[in-house]
C-alpha cells in the first residue's frame, strides 16, 4: 500500500480533500467522507465500500495500519501534520483521520423492505447529528431499516456517519421519493406492503406508548419528524396510530434521538421479554 507523506496543504496529491466540507459537491463526484478512526476502521473492515484514499496524521495511521493490510490495501494513504489539515479541508478533522469513499448505489425500496419487520421513517430531519443518532439507536435496538423523506439529511453526510458511530454504513436505508408518489403520499407504499404506521407525536389526540404496546403488528413503521416542528399534519393524517411518550407537565417534547431510543428500547423489550 502506498503511504505518501504530503508536503503541506497545497500538495496537489491531496487536492480532492479540499472540498470535503461541501456535501453536494462530493455527491456530484460520487463520493462520501468517513471521519474519525472508528468510522474509517469500520469502513475498511466491512469490505462493502470502495475506499479511494486516507488522509491521516501519525497517531491515526498507527491506529489504523493493522486493519489496512490485504485485502484492504488498494488505496493510497496520505500522511501529514494535523496543523495542515485544517488549512486543507477548512475545518478541524476529528481525530486526525479522513477517508474518501465511493458512494454505493442507492438501495431500492424493494431491497430495503423485502424482509423488514421494523423500520423507522424520518420526515424533514435536516440535523445531521439527529439523523446519525437515530441510526445508532436503530442499530442498537434491532430496527431493520430507515426510510427518509427527500428533505432529510443524507445519512452518508460525514457528520451523520460520525455521530452514528458508522451505523449509517450498517443499517439499510432508502429514500421515499417521487417514484413512490411524492411526499407524504409515498407513505401509502408502507401500508401497501403490510406495515402499520405509527406517528410519534406529543400532540393530541394520541395514545400512550404503553397502551400502543398492547397492539401487535407483524410489520411496523415508526414515523418521526424534525425537532420543533414535528411531523407534518399531512404525514400524521396518513398514519394508522398517533403515539406519545408520557412526560411530566411543563415539558413540551423530547429530543429526537432520545425519543427514538425510548420507543425502540420498549419495542425490543416487548419482543425479548
Amino acid at each position: 500500500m502506498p503511504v505518501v507523506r504530503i508536503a503541506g496543504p497545497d500538495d496537489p496529491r491531496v487536492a480532492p480533500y479540499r472540498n470535503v466540507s461541501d456535501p453536494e459537491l462530493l455527491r456530484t463526484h460520487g463520493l462520501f467522507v468517513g471521519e474519525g478512526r472508528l468510522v474509517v476502521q469500520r469502513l475498511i473492515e466491512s469490505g462493502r465500500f470502495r475506499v479511494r484514499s486516507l488522509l491521516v496524521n501519525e497517531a491515526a495511521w498507527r491506529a489504523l495500519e493493522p486493519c489496512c493490510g490485504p485485502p484492504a490495501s488498494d488505496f493510497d494513504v496520505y500522511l501529514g501534520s494535523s496543523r495542515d489539515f485544517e488549512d486543507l479541508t477548512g475545518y478541524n478533522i476529528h481525530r486526525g483521520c479522513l477517508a474518501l469513499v465511493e458512494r454505493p448505489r442507492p438501495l431500492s425500496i424493494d431491497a430495503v423492505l423485502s424482509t423488514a419487520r421494523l423500520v423507522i421513517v424520518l420526515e424533514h430531519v435536516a440535523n445531521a447529528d439527529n439523523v446519525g443518532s437515530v441510526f445508532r439507536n436503530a442499530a442498537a435496538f434491532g430496527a431493520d431499516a430507515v426510510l427518509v423523506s427527500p428533505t432529510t439529511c443524507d445519512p452518508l453526510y460525514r457528520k451523520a456517519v460520525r455521530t452514528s458511530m458508522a451505523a449509517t454504513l450498517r443499517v439499510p436505508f432508502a429514500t421515499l421519493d417521487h417514484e413512490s408518489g411524492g411526499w407524504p403520499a409515498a407513505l401509502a407504499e408502507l401500508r401497501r406492503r403490510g406495515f402499520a404506521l405509527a406517528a410519534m407525536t406529543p400532540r393530541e389526540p394520541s395514545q400512550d406508548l404503553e397502551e400502543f404496546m398492547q397492539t401487535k403488528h407483524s410489520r411496523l413503521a415508526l414515523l418521526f419528524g424534525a425537532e420543533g416542528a414535528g411531523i407534518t399534519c399531512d404525514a400524521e393524517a396518513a398514519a394508522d396510530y398517533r403515539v406519545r411518550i408520557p412526560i411530566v407537565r411543563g415539558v413540551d417534547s423530547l429530543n429526537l434521538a432520545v425519543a427514538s431510543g425510548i420507543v425502540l428500547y420498549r419495542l425490543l423489550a416487548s419482543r425479548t421479554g
Side-chain angles (χ1 to χ4, degrees):
M1 174 187 301
V3 179
V4 179
R5 184 173 293 278
I6 64 173
D10 297 322
D11 191 315
R13 292 171 294 189
V14 290
Y17 286 90
R18 194 167 299 282
N19 299 310
V20 295
S21 61
D22 186 338
E24 291 307 314
L25 185 59
L26 284 169
R27 290 190 72 149
T28 299
H29 288 89
L31 299 171
F32 74 96
V33 169
E35 181 177 12
R37 299 175 200 174
L38 177 63
V39 168
V40 172
Q41 179 179 342
R42 290 180 175 174
L43 271 167
I44 295 168
E45 291 179 342
S46 74
R48 295 187 294 115
F49 301 91
R50 174 76 167 82
V51 177
R52 287 271 188 91
S53 64
L54 304 185
L55 177 65
V56 292
N57 62 16
E58 295 278 3
W61 177 235
R62 286 196 299 270
L64 290 170
E65 187 175 10
C67 71
C68 289
S73 57
D74 59 344
F75 51 83
D76 293 324
V77 177
Y78 297 110
L79 191 61
S81 167
S82 298
R83 294 188 302 273
D84 294 330
F85 290 173
E86 188 166 357
D87 291 336
L88 173 63
T89 65
Y91 68 96
N92 183 30
I93 295 176
H94 182 66
R95 300 201 69 190
C97 180
L98 285 181
L100 280 180
V101 190
E102 295 181 4
R103 291 185 70 91
R105 185 183 298 275
L107 294 175
S108 68
I109 297 298
D110 284 338
V112 169
L113 296 182
S114 61
T115 60
R117 292 292 176 264
L118 173 62
V119 301
I120 298 171
V121 184
L122 298 180
E123 181 190 38
H124 304 332
V125 182
N127 184 283
D129 291 324
N130 279 336
V131 170
S133 295
V134 169
F135 270 83
R136 189 173 180 180
N137 289 337
F141 297 118
D144 298 306
V146 177
L147 301 176
V148 298
S149 72
T151 53
T152 290
C153 171
D154 176 15
L156 293 182
Y157 175 50
R158 61 181 175 82
K159 287 187 67 178
V161 178
R162 189 183 74 201
T163 303
S164 77
M165 301 292 282
T168 63
L169 310 177
R170 172 182 171 187
V171 179
F173 66 88
T175 301
L176 276 173
D177 207 342
H178 63 278
E179 292 182 359
S180 300
W183 188 270
L187 293 171
E189 179 69 13
L190 292 166
R191 184 175 290 107
R192 188 180 73 80
R193 293 171 181 266
F195 283 88
L197 181 60
M200 304 306 303
T201 176
R203 295 191 292 261
E204 296 291 351
S206 56
Q207 63 183 132
D208 185 281
L209 176 61
E210 290 304 313
E211 178 186 348
F212 174 71
M213 292 303 303
Q214 304 309 308
T215 62
K216 303 299 181 183
H217 304 282
S218 59
R219 310 188 90 179
L220 178 63
L222 303 172
L223 175 61
F224 293 90
E227 296 209 23
I231 299 167
T232 62
C233 293
D234 288 343
E236 191 172 311
D240 302 293
Y241 301 91
R242 297 171 180 82
V243 183
R244 69 179 182 275
I245 300 170
I247 54 179
V248 300
R249 293 183 181 274
V251 178
D252 60 353
S253 62
L254 292 170
N255 169 273
L256 171 58
V258 173
S260 63
I262 289 172
V263 176
L264 288 170
Y265 168 77
R266 187 64 188 85
L267 286 168
L268 177 65
S270 71
R271 295 199 304 267
T272 59

